[in-house]
Amino acid sequence: MNTGKVTIDGQVVEINGAKNILELARRVGIEIPTFCYHSELSVYGACRLCMVEVEKMGLVASCSTAPVDGMVIHTNTARVRRLRRMIIELLLANHDRECPTCSKSTTCKLQKLAKQFGVTKVRFGKRDKQLPIDESAPSIIKDPNKCILCGDCVRVCKEVQGIGVWDFAFRGSETQVSTAFNKKLSDVACVNCGQCVAVCPTGALTVKSEVDKAWEAIHDPEKTVIVQIAPAVRVALGEEFGLDSRDVTGKMVAALKKIGVDKVFDTLFGADMTTIEESMEFMHRLKNGGKLPLFTSCCPAWIKYCEQTHADMLKNLSSCRSPQQMFGSMVKKHYARKIGKKPEDVICISIMPCTAKKFEARRPEFTTGGVPDVDVVLTTVELAQMIKEAGIIFDELKPVGFDNPLGMGSGSALIFGASGGVAESVVRFVAGYTGGEEVGRVDFYPVRGIKGIKEAEIEVEGNTIKIAVVNGLANAERLIQRIKNGEAFYHIVEVMSCPGGCVGGGGQPGVNDTAARVKRIKEIYSLDAVNQVHKAQDNIYVNKILEDWFGGPASSGTHNDLHTKYTPRKRISGKPIDINNAEKGGSVQVSVCVGTGCYLRGSYDIMNKFAELIKQMGLEGHVDLNGTFCLEQCDKGVSIKVDDEIITGVTEENVEQIFKSHVAIKVDLAVNS
Amino acid sequence: MESPQRKFQKLQQIIDKYEGKASQLIPILQEVQEEYRYLPEEVLTYIATAMKLPPATVFGVATFYAQFSLIPKGKYVIRICDGTACHVRGSELINQAVRKELNLQDNQSTTEDLQFTVERVSCLGACGLAPVVTVNDTEVYGQMTPEEILAVVKKLREEG
């Protein structure tokens, strides 16, 4: 451990293991400005804003300089201040300065630091080139004209989520943060988690707003507007109104009523249904030798990741829809009928801490007869904006309760908002299910907290159930690799994409860092501690509605409306690799998949075999062969496509036979006709 | 011309030769570019897949270095030096002459028929021969003039 003493601005400070000068200065109450330093990410040292003067060393970047015994450090000299101003001025010169109309205005770090350091004018004119804005994705908008190249998004996507959607491309003054081949965000492996938005210091990455869609529905007299609110929203919304990470449930409901929505319900209701359905599914799998581990399915970013990366594990995913989609399905298919409305005249708005929920709501399987189960998804920040827009003084609101019957939720549902919450809810349910009334409160501490990978065990009817809880997709990937290598086995794995779980979602207010997330988690568990309804099965309204509307839990009714299926999904769009002829024109088109799943199973060899067979049988000119990226059948072995037909499970053994029966025969037919 | 299948097999061999190590991405890209004469998008995606790297990272490396090209290059790559010595001895006139002859528009560096690519380079290290032009990095022409470069182009055209 790094030890010794340094002097910072005249104060003698123990190093005590500090990794860099910046962290050490923070410990003694000195905030050194930075764009690119995040304690959770690797040190990059790009923005140079954190420069300090060290005696006998001169100017150094405090984020990437380790304190050494005896160092004398000055953080506030004339030279340092002049330098900081200059850096900010230069960044501003290359930044689209449309502050009043930028959605990051007032939360933008560049704006904040420009004010803090008294940068009142920019001497260098404006950007001379406008790059196109990417609005293709359902959740995230990228405006490269506001990017300051700090690389925070690049690192969070690579290091925390293990995906690497973003990277630096081109060079020098042309440098950009870009997707692969500058493709649209909707065409690459982005899972819409919004962590890049959460770390972006400027308006370069922002959340796509659906506020106008929400207002339109609210102002339409023909529509009944129903709102559902996720657990993590209530402990973070207050931050937008200067109230810290405190529970504001009552005020939030009151504000929504003032805004003019018809019913304010709680996603907690959907979460309790999820707990019951998922626990029953787990018990069923356990007893009948079903696929284990069971992966939770509440997190839409995780689901997309799994579909893209682990198609062979889709059967391990719980078939349960997420609480948002269970709720939406229940509202459109049952509640609408109950209040005598057509599904299309009931608008379901969900308020989420999450940006990926916007994507989830648009998944085609969650639309019935052209009517989406969830019409509008707003983030916590978007709700705050609507409240401000409506002129409501949030702090003065008198708390109001949720509407009935879909407004009641248990403590188990509340903790869905924190990493470990879904696993603990299942534990509570199973404990009550197998142990009966006398079980009482079950608090399961091992799965709580912000740690990336947590493990625990419980006893259920003589079986030891192993549980793993992960947050951050890079952690999920590590765990999956261990499971696939046989190094670990679990019965249940809870996965949340965002660090800390939903409380740290991409739609939460800034500052959305570890400290803020820890505070929100704490508040969630203190709300759970005082909730009288502890376990999902203690929620009498949920039990009643499961019986009355669906014919009981784990029934065909719930199966139709509350469960779903998953499909393999390609990671990147693009054209195929030409294999046998640049001049196309053969009568049969054959594509062999060379996407990751098939590549690892040897599709390269199969491709060569096909090319050989074409030559051997003299079919050159009749068959066009190419390599394509993903036919979205990744769970079924190497896939090929012959004209419009997809054939899966191609192996070295059956390749010749498949070629004869599916390819050669078509050429014969075409030649003879 | 080499068949696409040969090229594809070569691509996999190059990746295998370097054991798909991320640290070897640059030599892999260099050798693959020699095969394809440029780095097609689908080939870069294949490299990323085979090397288990995000495609964005491979794209980032391929766009960072001037030696890599993501658009097809001509059969003959004419590099006109624009280092200080070549510049003061009139390399720009040579550039203009050859671009005019090949009918290249403002941002265009390769002819429509994929025969010629014209590039400027900062220094070829042969300042004593300024102005210097190379063709495909194999032939070096010293003390060029606008007239002589046109003769070179004519010769290359005749070679087809």
Side-chain angles (χ1 to χ4, degrees):
Chain A
M1 194 175 85
N2 193 357
T3 56
K5 288 190 177 97
V6 300
T7 311
I8 303 181
D9 296 345
Q11 286 185 74
V12 178
V13 189
E14 285 277 352
I15 295 174
N16 208 0
K19 281 185 294 215
N20 53 58
I21 296 173
L22 191 142
E23 288 282 320
L24 193 58
R26 272 186 193 171
R27 276 191 211 163
V28 293
I30 298 163
E31 179 81 31
I32 296 173
T34 170
F35 285 114
C36 72
Y37 182 76
H38 288 271
S39 54
E40 303 86 356
L41 302 177
S42 62
V43 172
Y44 188 53
C47 75
R48 314 314 280 174
L49 203 61
C50 69
M51 298 293 258
V52 294
E53 271 194 275
V54 179
E55 286 183 13
K56 300 195 184 96
M57 281 177 81
L59 286 165
V60 299
S62 64
C63 70
S64 49
T65 308
V68 177
D69 188 37
M71 256 185 186
V72 182
I73 300 157
H74 303 279
T75 71
N76 183 28
T77 63
R79 195 175 169 203
V80 163
R81 279 199 310 275
R82 198 175 64 233
L83 195 78
R84 287 176 185 163
R85 277 193 190 182
M86 190 68 198
I87 291 169
I88 292 172
E89 195 181 340
L90 285 168
L91 286 174
L92 283 170
N94 197 31
H95 176 85
D96 249 6
R97 300 192 293 280
E98 300 170 337
C99 298
T101 53
C102 176
S103 70
K104 278 270 178 78
S105 187
T106 74
T107 52
C108 168
K109 210 164 178 187
L110 182 57
Q111 191 185 41
K112 183 181 148 232
L113 291 175
K115 188 163 163 57
Q116 187 177 323
F117 289 97
V119 180
T120 49
K121 66 167 189 244
V122 177
R123 290 166 289 173
F124 308 107
K126 292 194 165 144
R127 283 177 67 87
D128 51 1
K129 214 165 45 181
Q130 286 294 310
L131 294 165
I133 296 171
D134 182 358
E135 299 189 70
S136 64
S139 311
I140 296 167
I141 296 177
K142 178 196 166 204
D143 182 352
N145 305 302
K146 290 176 182 165
C147 177
I148 60 168
L149 302 175
C150 66
D152 292 353
C153 54
V154 175
R155 282 171 295 138
V156 82
C157 193
K158 235 180 240 183
E159 295 170 14
V160 175
Q161 303 297 41
I163 302 175
V165 164
W166 303 115
D167 213 321
F168 291 104
F170 308 103
R171 178 181 195 162
S173 63
E174 307 277 310
T175 308
Q176 279 183 47
V177 167
S178 161
T179 56
F181 315 108
N182 232 330
K183 281 181 189 294
K184 288 190 280 181
L185 194 53
S186 56
D187 287 345
V188 296
C190 175
V191 296
N192 308 295
C193 71
Q195 289 302 302
C196 55
V197 177
V199 293
C200 180
T202 71
L205 290 166
T206 51
V207 174
K208 196 181 226 177
S209 174
E210 292 179 40
V211 164
D212 289 343
K213 249 170 98 184
W215 281 126
E216 197 188 317
I218 290 166
H219 293 320
D220 186 340
E222 303 294 312
K223 309 282 187 203
T224 302
V225 178
I226 303 227
V227 166
Q228 55 158 323
I229 309 170
V233 174
R234 64 205 70 192
V235 295
L237 181 66
E239 293 165 25
E240 282 281 314
F241 300 94
L243 298 176
D244 209 4
S245 311
R246 218 173 71 200
D247 169 45
V248 291
T249 311
K251 288 181 190 296
M252 177 176 72
V253 178
L256 281 161
K257 292 266 174 180
K258 281 206 164 191
I259 280 173
V261 308
D262 297 295
K263 293 282 178 195
V264 184
F265 291 141
D266 203 342
T267 309
L268 261 55
F269 196 93
D272 276 331
M273 294 171 97
T274 304
T275 302
I276 294 172
E277 288 294 306
E278 194 157 327
S279 303
M280 301 290 273
E281 183 184 3
F282 170 67
M283 299 295 279
H284 182 81
R285 289 191 191 202
L286 186 68
K287 284 186 182 138
N288 298 289
K291 270 253 186 205
L292 291 173
L294 175 77
F295 285 100
T296 60
S297 57
C298 300
C299 174
W302 151 241
I303 294 296
K304 184 164 187 256
Y305 179 82
C306 195
E307 289 177 327
Q308 286 170 179
T309 321
H310 296 290
D312 53 331
M313 296 188 94
L314 293 180
K315 292 246 157 39
N316 291 75
L317 285 173
S318 164
S319 64
C320 289
R321 297 185 187 189
S322 71
Q324 162 177 285
Q325 295 306 141
M326 280 202 182
F327 194 96
S329 175
M330 179 171 61
V331 162
K332 290 292 171 88
K333 298 195 184 93
H334 299 275
Y335 183 78
R337 197 184 323 136
K338 201 166 167 290
I339 59 169
K341 291 263 178 185
K342 284 190 236 149
E344 57 267 37
D345 291 330
V346 176
I347 298 295
C348 182
I349 299 178
S350 68
I351 296 163
M352 294 284 142
C354 178
T355 47
K357 289 281 170 193
K358 289 175 187 276
F359 169 81
E360 184 184 49
R362 278 169 186 66
R363 289 178 70 112
E365 58 270 33
F366 298 144
T367 289
T368 319
V371 183
D373 292 344
V374 173
D375 300 87
V376 181
V377 180
L378 301 173
T379 63
T380 309
V381 175
E382 288 170 72
L383 172 63
Q385 192 216 317
M386 288 182 76
I387 294 170
K388 290 171 189 166
E389 220 178 335
I392 294 165
I393 302 173
F394 191 72
D395 202 18
E396 290 177 8
L397 289 169
K398 293 266 174 298
V400 173
F402 284 105
D403 287 308
N404 276 327
L406 311 178
M408 185 168 155
S410 72
S412 282
L414 252 171
I415 61 174
F416 266 55
S419 165
V422 178
E424 182 167 347
S425 299
V426 171
V427 168
R428 287 182 190 180
F429 179 87
V430 173
Y433 187 72
T434 56
E437 285 288 313
E438 59 274 23
V439 167
R441 289 188 77 91
V442 181
D443 285 303
F444 197 56
Y445 294 100
V447 294
R448 295 187 187 179
I450 199 148
K451 214 175 127 205
I453 302 184
K454 295 168 275 188
E455 292 169 295
E457 287 180 3
I458 52 161
E459 292 291 324
V460 177
E461 295 177 331
N463 298 314
T464 303
I465 304 297
K466 290 164 102 70
I467 301 169
V469 171
V470 288
N471 61 72
L473 290 172
N475 288 326
E477 186 58 39
R478 277 179 210 118
L479 193 86
I480 289 170
Q481 289 310 325
R482 278 173 55 205
I483 294 171
K484 284 190 171 174
N485 295 339
E487 292 162 30
F489 174 78
Y490 302 99
H491 293 87
I492 304 175
V493 180
E494 178 201 296
V495 185
M496 295 293 163
S497 299
C498 295
C502 308
V503 289
Q508 294 283 64
V511 179
N512 194 2
D513 60 3
T514 306
R517 292 168 188 197
V518 168
K519 270 197 211 164
R520 294 170 194 157
I521 291 174
K522 223 177 129 207
E523 184 71 1
I524 282 213
Y525 284 107
S526 55
L527 283 175
D528 166 52
V530 297
N531 196 326
Q532 294 296 312
V533 186
H534 182 63
K535 302 189 285 289
Q537 64 266 52
D538 302 342
N539 187 334
I540 45 169
Y541 284 105
V542 165
N543 289 332
K544 189 167 160 28
I545 279 176
L546 279 174
E547 286 299 335
D548 293 354
W549 294 0
F550 299 96
S555 63
S556 64
T558 62
H559 191 81
N560 286 336
D561 295 345
L562 305 179
H563 289 248
T564 186
K565 281 202 213 68
Y566 309 100
T567 42
R569 192 182 281 276
K570 64 169 81 173
R571 283 188 233 189
I572 189 164
S573 67
K575 60 177 196 174
I577 306 182
D578 176 38
I579 301 297
N580 73 340
N581 204 341
E583 303 293 323
K584 292 283 161 186
S587 53
V588 182
Q589 311 290 320
V590 179
S591 304
V592 177
C593 179
V594 289
T596 311
C598 292
Y599 178 81
L600 294 172
R601 290 192 179 97
S603 62
Y604 169 74
D605 294 325
I606 298 214
M607 170 96 86
N608 279 323
K609 188 81 191 164
F610 264 87
E612 232 172 75
L613 287 165
I614 290 172
K615 272 192 202 147
Q616 268 177 25
M617 301 179 70
L619 300 178
E620 286 148 309
H622 294 287
V623 181
D624 294 343
L625 180 65
N626 63 43
T628 184
F629 291 100
C630 202
L631 295 165
E632 305 191 323
Q633 303 290 333
C634 320
D635 51 336
K636 298 178 194 129
V638 176
S639 310
I640 63 163
K641 193 170 161 194
V642 181
D643 290 338
D644 291 330
E645 182 192 8
I646 292 178
I647 301 154
T648 59
V650 184
T651 61
E652 292 240 39
E653 287 74 49
N654 66 14
V655 59
E656 192 164 341
Q657 192 257 321
I658 286 179
F659 184 84
K660 283 179 185 154
S661 61
H662 288 83
V663 182
I665 199 166
K666 285 200 175 177
V667 178
D668 284 349
L669 287 174
V671 171
N672 294 333
S673 64
Chain B
M1 206 172 109
E2 206 178 14
S3 81
Q5 193 204 347
R6 269 295 302 138
K7 273 194 207 167
F8 180 69
Q9 283 173 341
K10 198 77 183 286
L11 165 64
Q12 182 63 38
Q13 280 163 12
I14 294 165
I15 298 166
D16 289 343
K17 184 169 98 185
Y18 292 100
E19 294 166 13
K21 281 190 189 140
S23 59
Q24 301 300 312
L25 179 58
I26 290 171
I28 289 173
L29 292 179
Q30 284 170 329
E31 292 192 23
V32 171
Q33 178 161 286
E34 261 175 53
E35 281 302 311
Y36 284 81
R37 292 219 304 251
Y38 76 111
L39 296 170
E41 181 187 309
E42 63 276 18
V43 168
L44 289 176
T45 308
Y46 185 83
I47 292 171
T49 307
M51 295 178 74
K52 295 184 185 154
L53 288 171
T57 300
V58 176
F59 178 67
V61 172
T63 55
F64 183 85
Y65 295 100
Q67 60 174 309
F68 295 128
S69 175
L70 273 72
I71 46 170
K73 283 200 184 187
K75 187 175 173 194
Y76 299 107
V77 178
I78 301 172
R79 292 208 166 90
I80 303 161
C81 183
D82 198 27
T84 312
C86 293
H87 186 80
V88 296
R89 303 198 66 167
S91 68
E92 181 52 29
L93 295 173
I94 298 169
N95 182 41
Q96 283 171 11
V98 72
R99 290 182 67 86
K100 194 174 166 214
E101 172 64 24
L102 296 173
N103 201 16
L104 291 171
Q105 304 304 311
D106 283 349
N107 287 322
Q108 193 185 356
S109 60
T110 301
T111 54
E112 303 285 348
D113 60 2
L114 294 182
Q115 282 297 102
F116 291 96
T117 293
V118 179
E119 289 176 355
R120 311 297 320 258
V121 283
S122 295
C123 184
L124 288 165
C127 312
L129 299 173
V132 183
V133 175
T134 62
V135 176
N136 286 353
D137 290 335
T138 50
E139 284 171 66
V140 181
Y141 299 88
Q143 295 175 332
M144 284 304 275
T145 62
E147 293 75 39
E148 283 177 65
I149 189 75
L150 296 185
V152 171
V153 169
K154 190 163 175 254
K155 190 182 85 173
L156 294 174
R157 273 190 177 141
E158 281 162 6
E159 285 171 20

